[in-house]
Structures are given as structure tokens and as C-alpha cells.
Amino acid sequence: MTTNRFEQIPEEWLRRREGLGIWEGRSKAVAVGTGASDTSRRWDWDPQTSVGANAISALRRAMDDAGVTGDQVDGLIVVPDTTTGRFAWPPAWPEDRDVPGDMAAAFEMVDDPRVGMAGLSTEWIIKNMPELTNVEFAAHIPSDTAPALIGAVEAVVRGLTKVCLVVKGWHNLAGRYYVGQGAANGDTIATREKWSTGWGTVGVYQEATRFQRYLWKYGKRKEMFANFVVNSKRNGLNFPEGFFAQNRPEDIVTREDYLGARWLAKPANLYDADIPICAAAAFLFTTPERAKDMKQKPVYVLGHTSTQPPARSLQHTLEEEEAAAASSGRKLLEAAGISVSDYSFENMYDGYGMFHAIHVEGLGYAGIKQGDFLDFVENEDITNEGPHPISPSGGNIGSGRTRFWLHMDTMQQLQGRAGARQMTGVKPEIGVDGANFPQNFHGLVWGANPD
Amino acid sequence: MPKQSPVPEDVDRGFWEAANEGRLVVQNCHACDRLQHPPMDACAQCGSGDNLEWSEMSGRGTIYTYAVMYDNPVPLMFDDQPFNAAVIKLEDDPDIMMLSHLPGTPVDEVPIGAPVRLVFEKTQATGQMVPEWEVVTQ
């Protein structure tokens, strides 16, 4: 029975301001295990590939990875949002299938019929994982993996849980979302979307305009981004949990492929965007003391921060985005009590790819300053074999839209078990990651050691 | 090029009524002396909805940035792809931005930083006028 329940991360747990000093929870919580479900492009309507089933699979794999049994888990954080885009509910069920009926036969469902198919909840997970018999702390943390990880870390530091699981899932239903749906459909338009969709803009548009401004401001060329995407795709094919490694292992993307890809919103093309997929991942956090008898080496959380400045007008400008990223960079260093040269690697968000440039410039990683990223990725060794790995996970571009590969890779790199992605040009001691946009960001600093 | 007709709602009715009169107005909080766009029920700075009014703009601006839409979501615009979608900053307050298809400017020939002037276009479904922007040629 849960005794502590949150429907969102308590505001006082977040570190939003600069000047807060070293985080008082530094190295008092560790990540030990992680696991991902199998991946697929779209849901095939089978209950065993639903987002609920994927979440259960990921949670069990994370427990196995850490060497923990369900009865030892006393905390559970679930990200209830699982959509990869915008879908109507209920969806157009296949004519010959009773999908809700199949789900009800396979799982214990809750009052909201979407949960398990197009959403998750702690109630649904606990009902369908009978091995979780001792959950005393449960929380829904909206949106994404990164804030959920911060929630788990803070919950451990604050003594609300000693062994805490976090799970995030993604469902991707049939159809091309956005196009001709919702506000885009018809010859009139209402709601706030009249200011954006009304001009035929969507998704990648805003970042494409910031990318265009960036190219103009710093005198760079779009072609200079190619090595970053090629490297991310390569890292993705070396990520066995990822979509492309599992489903399209032959899908090597070359510089020529990138430069010849179809435009979405020029200067953004197909390979600057991520592919929506079905997947789930789970992470297991605990105290350093409790981790001693677990199966994997603990990864220490050295600091975290959150940055969410509102846009002044219609959309964030490049300059607002750069300022947000720079603030996050400073706050992460301050929280962890380190200097930027202490970073062995970075795993910042990349869906869309250009976000990665702004994040890295904001960090100052590898000496990269504002306007430098394209020169760096074009001229330096950015592979996992080099001295300054860039996006060693491959991120969303490399393995599909989840916003969690980055965290899994950070853990695995620091634990020395990233397989073919394991970095060799630098000893992974401190890594930094976070998602998603610079102007809507939650980030963490992780260490192989507590100091 | 064709656009969906915006449906005026309480929060933005003043904007669309002015557009039908050939005027560009932006919401202003006279307590904060601060413009904001898109319109909201309250001032984003002071949180009050009591001090909002409509202020008429000069109709001059500059191109801040743009993208060329090849894969837009609105079927009404499919036949016009690719098309420019620019972000305009108003001369009255460069923090205030609006979108534009830049009528008269060829795709890929968008001059970032160039001055633009306000025009209005009639949308087909309801006749609602919408603001657009043209590059000012010297």
C-alpha cells in the first residue's frame, strides 16, 4: 500500500535558479539498473506490445539488471504521458479486432481505458506487476524521463524510498499525426493554434527557424551538421536496445544520405528529426549503501537542474534558447561542484538534432562556445573512440524518439558496459545529460565515483 | 496563398476585428507598459487581465528568421509547397513576433534582417482578413 503519493514533482525539489551552490543531495543517490522493452515502429494492436506491456517488460529488465526482486522495491515513479505525437482518442481500431477487449483479457485495466494503451499510471503498473508488493512511495511525474529521474533521485535523497523504479513508455499509433489532423484539418482554425498552424507550421518548424538564424548569425553552412548526424546514426546502430539496431540494422546513414535527404522545413531535413516509435525504459535508483549488494556498479548522481523560461512572444528565439542552455550549463556545474573540464562526455538531447548543438554550446563541453558546434563536429573526432565523444548514445536520432537513450547510455558508459559504444578515447568518469529542449530542460550530472 | 480562416474568440476578437478594418493591433498591459502576442487572458508579467487594451502598431518590421515548409500539416496549403514561413519582429517592439508567408518573395530568397511592411489578405472560408508582410524593396 502506498503511503506517499505525488501527482507531480514538488516544486521545492527542483533546482531552477543559479546561485544555489552545490546540491545537498550530491552522491546520496545512485542509479544501478536499467532496462528497455523491445521496440517497434507502430503498435500492432497486440496487448503484449502495448505501452503497458512494454513498461512491465522494461521494469522487470531493470530489476533483473540490478539484481533486485519486486518485493525489495518500495518506490515507483511513472511518467503517465506516453504519446509520440498528437492522436485522436479513441483511435480508429482495426475492423476485425476488439483491442480494448483484448487488453482487458490480458491485463487488469483501470477506470481510464486509455491507460495501458495510450498512457501509464502507477495504479495500472502495480495491478499488473504482482511482484511489487511493498511500494510505499508512488508518483506520477508528467512529461518525460529526465524530470522523473530527478524525482526519483530526490525521493531517495529525502528518504521517501530506498529502492525506486522509474518507468517511461511511448506509444505510437497508426497514421501520420499532425498532417490533416486537429487544427490542421478544415478551412477554418480556432484555438491558439491559429497563430502557428494557421501559417502551415508544425513540429520541426520552430527549431528550423532557429537553425536558420544560427547559420545566418554565425556564418555557418547546413552541410557542417552532417558528421553529427552520421555519428549519431552510427552510435544508434551500436545500441542493442534501440529501434534501428533491432529493426533496421542495415540502415547506415552516410554524409551523402544526409545531404540528399528530403526537406521537412528547410534547413531541417528528415535526418534532423527523430522517428516516433513504441518503447519503454526503466531505471532503478537507490542509496549508495543499499547498492553495495546489487549486481551493477552504482552510478552517482552529482547534481541536477531545471530550466523552463517562457517565450516572450510567438516562439522562443535563438537567443532565448542559447541563454537557457547557458544557464543550464552553469547550474549543472554549480550543483555538482565541478568545472566543465571534468566532463568526460555529454549526452544531451537531440530530437531535433539542432537542439544538441545549442545544449553543448551552453555546457561549454570540450571548449565548444556559442557558434562553435558546427566547426567542432566537422573538424574534430567526435566518435566514441575520440577524446571528446559527442552524443555517445546516438540519442533520438540514432535509436528513435524516446528521450531516454541518453540516460541509459550515460549509466552504461560510467559502468563500463556500453558494449560496442563503450568510449575508448577517454575514461568515462563524469557525464552530463538532459532533455528535452534547452527552454524546457531537466538535466543531470552523473559520476562513476562519489567524489 | 490560401490560408485557413481564423475563428475569432473572446481572447483575440479585438485583433481580428481590427484586421478586418486594415489595422494591426497588439495586446498591451498599460499597468506594465508591456506588449504581448499572441493575446492572452491576462498579462504574462503582472498576471492581471484588468489592464489589457489593444494598441495599434505601425505596420513596420524586420525578418528575424524563416524556414521553407516542404511538409506542412494543413491540406489547404499542400498545393503551395514549398513556401516561405518567416518570423517577423515588429518595429514597435522587437520582442513581438508574427508569422508571414512573405508574399512576393521567392522560396529560398528570404533576406534575414530586411525591412517588411504590413499588408492584409482575405481568407476564403469566412472572409476574415489576416496580417501578412511584404519585403520593402529599396
Side-chain angles (χ1 to χ4, degrees):
Chain A
M1 203 50 124
T2 56
T3 53
N4 288 295
R5 180 173 288 277
F6 296 91
E7 287 302 321
Q8 59 184 10
I9 193 165
E11 182 60 28
E12 64 269 24
W13 291 12
L14 297 176
R15 294 173 59 89
R16 295 188 184 275
R17 289 187 294 110
E18 296 188 44
L20 293 176
I22 294 175
W23 174 46
E24 54 275 20
R26 188 184 194 276
S27 297
K28 293 178 181 172
V30 295
V32 180
T34 182
S37 70
D38 293 346
T39 63
S40 62
R41 178 74 173 92
R42 291 189 174 88
W43 189 24
D44 61 5
W45 309 112
D46 182 340
Q48 298 309 323
T49 55
S50 64
V51 69
N54 283 342
I56 292 170
S57 170
L59 286 161
R60 287 180 173 151
R61 287 175 179 177
M63 286 192 290
D64 287 346
D65 190 51
V68 165
T69 54
D71 62 310
Q72 295 173 317
V73 172
D74 64 356
L76 175 65
I77 292 179
V78 172
V79 181
D81 318 289
T82 64
T83 185
T84 54
R86 185 183 311 169
F87 298 101
W89 186 268
W93 303 115
E95 285 183 9
D96 58 340
R97 301 277 295 273
D98 175 13
V99 176
D102 292 345
M103 283 295 293
F107 298 104
E108 292 283 330
M109 300 299 280
V110 296
D111 290 344
D112 183 343
R114 291 173 299 183
V115 178
M117 294 186 278
L120 291 171
S121 73
T122 52
E123 181 188 8
W124 194 94
I125 293 292
I126 290 170
K127 276 190 170 188
N128 288 285
M129 292 185 70
E131 66 267 46
L132 298 180
T133 53
N134 292 311
V135 174
E136 296 180 352
F137 165 79
H140 288 156
I141 294 184
S143 176
D144 257 311
T145 307
L149 298 186
I150 290 173
V153 167
E154 284 284 350
V156 169
V157 168
R158 291 162 189 270
L160 293 170
T161 166
K162 284 189 169 54
V163 179
C164 185
L165 284 167
V166 178
V167 67
K168 163 71 181 177
W170 294 86
H171 73 270
N172 189 37
L173 304 181
R176 253 198 108 190
Y177 60 86
Y178 295 123
V179 178
Q181 291 190 25
N185 197 15
D187 55 7
T188 61
I189 184 166
T191 75
R192 198 173 164 85
E193 291 198 56
K194 61 170 73 97
W195 308 106
S196 52
T197 309
W199 267 261
T201 69
V202 70
V204 70
Y205 169 77
Q206 290 192 9
E207 193 55 17
T209 64
R210 287 185 286 263
F211 192 11
Q212 185 68 264
R213 177 80 183 183
Y214 181 100
L215 297 174
W216 178 83
K217 180 177 179 179
Y218 297 112
K220 306 300 179 188
R221 294 170 290 106
K222 153 85 178 170
E223 292 77 6
M224 297 172 75
F225 206 55
N227 283 355
F228 168 72
V229 173
V230 169
N231 184 60
S232 294
K233 288 287 188 183
R234 173 179 180 256
N235 290 342
L237 289 179
N238 285 328
F239 208 139
E241 295 92 338
F243 173 80
F244 288 99
Q246 289 183 0
N247 299 279
R248 300 181 189 173
E250 74 292 349
D251 201 2
I252 296 167
V253 173
T254 66
R255 182 179 179 86
E256 290 67 34
D257 293 332
Y258 177 73
L259 297 178
R262 74 177 175 88
W263 298 112
L264 301 176
K266 192 178 180 181
N269 72 26
L270 192 64
Y271 289 124
D272 293 313
D274 51 3
I275 187 171
I277 61 169
C278 301
F283 301 83
L284 187 140
F285 287 86
T286 187
T287 62
E289 295 73 27
R290 181 68 182 78
K292 287 175 183 170
D293 60 355
M294 291 188 186
K295 209 160 78 180
Q296 306 294 345
K297 183 174 178 287
V299 177
Y300 294 82
V301 180
L302 305 182
H304 66 80
T305 197
S306 301
T307 306
Q308 295 173 298
R312 176 67 180 83
S313 183
L314 203 58
Q315 62 182 51
H316 286 91
T317 63
L318 171 65
E319 290 74 20
E320 286 174 322
E321 191 170 88
E322 289 178 324
S327 176
S328 294
R330 291 189 295 269
K331 289 186 292 184
L332 286 165
L333 293 179
E334 184 183 5
I338 60 172
S339 64
V340 68
S341 60
D342 291 322
Y343 287 140
S344 316
F345 65 95
E346 61 80 23
N347 252 324
M348 304 300 274
Y349 183 62
D350 69 336
Y352 307 100
M354 192 56 198
F355 288 129
H356 201 87
I358 305 300
H359 276 307
V360 169
E361 291 180 359
L363 289 175
Y365 169 75
I368 301 170
K369 297 188 169 47
Q370 282 184 354
D372 285 350
F373 184 83
L374 294 184
D375 288 306
F376 190 89
V377 299
E378 185 166 72
N379 298 316
E380 304 293 330
D381 181 356
I382 62 171
T383 68
N384 291 1
E385 294 78 42
H388 299 297
I390 294 284
S391 194
S393 71
N396 278 21
I397 289 177
S399 290
R401 181 182 304 166
T402 65
R403 300 175 180 163
F404 54 57
W405 306 122
L406 60 162
H407 304 299
M408 291 186 72
D409 182 70
T410 296
M411 280 182 64
Q412 293 173 350
Q413 294 286 356
L414 292 169
Q415 290 170 323
R417 58 183 183 119
R421 296 186 327 285
Q422 187 66 48
M423 55 189 65
T424 56
V426 62
K427 184 180 179 187
E429 293 183 303
I430 295 180
V432 57
D433 63 21
N436 43 35
F437 319 144
Q439 60 273 24
N440 181 22
F441 179 75
H442 299 275
L444 301 100
V445 181
W446 311 71
N449 299 292
D451 302 322
Chain B
M1 61 181 282
K3 288 182 177 66
Q4 295 169 295
S5 292
V7 178
E9 293 159 272
D10 287 347
V11 68
D12 58 23
R13 197 174 310 282
F15 180 94
W16 298 111
E17 288 177 352
N20 285 341
E21 298 166 358
R23 296 184 298 117
L24 180 69
V25 298
V26 168
Q27 216 174 30
N28 180 49
C29 175
H30 61 76
C32 298
D33 191 23
R34 182 180 186 272
L35 298 173
Q36 65 180 18
H37 182 79
M40 294 187 286
D41 291 327
C43 171
Q45 183 161 288
C46 70
S48 171
D50 296 338
N51 305 308
L52 296 175
E53 60 189 9
W54 296 104
S55 292
E56 186 161 347
M57 301 289 106
S58 67
R60 292 187 295 273
T62 56
I63 299 172
Y64 170 68
T65 186
Y66 73 101
V68 180
M69 296 304 301
Y70 282 74
D71 197 1
N72 109 90
V74 183
L76 198 61
M77 300 178 187
F78 284 171
D79 290 343
D80 290 278
Q81 293 180 146
F83 57 82
N84 294 321
V87 179
I88 306 300
K89 287 198 162 198
L90 301 194
E91 184 182 270
D92 306 87
D93 182 347
D95 280 341
I96 302 300
M97 299 185 287
M98 295 186 181
L99 298 187
S100 172
H101 291 140
L102 293 178
T105 298
V107 164
D108 283 329
E109 296 181 23
V110 176
I112 292 177
V116 290
R117 66 166 168 250
L118 176 70
V119 295
F120 286 93
E121 288 184 354
K122 188 174 189 176
T123 57
Q124 193 170 6
T126 68
Q128 172 65 54
M129 303 295 283
V130 298
E132 265 295 0
W133 301 84
E134 289 179 342
V135 173
V136 176
T137 51
Q138 301 299 321

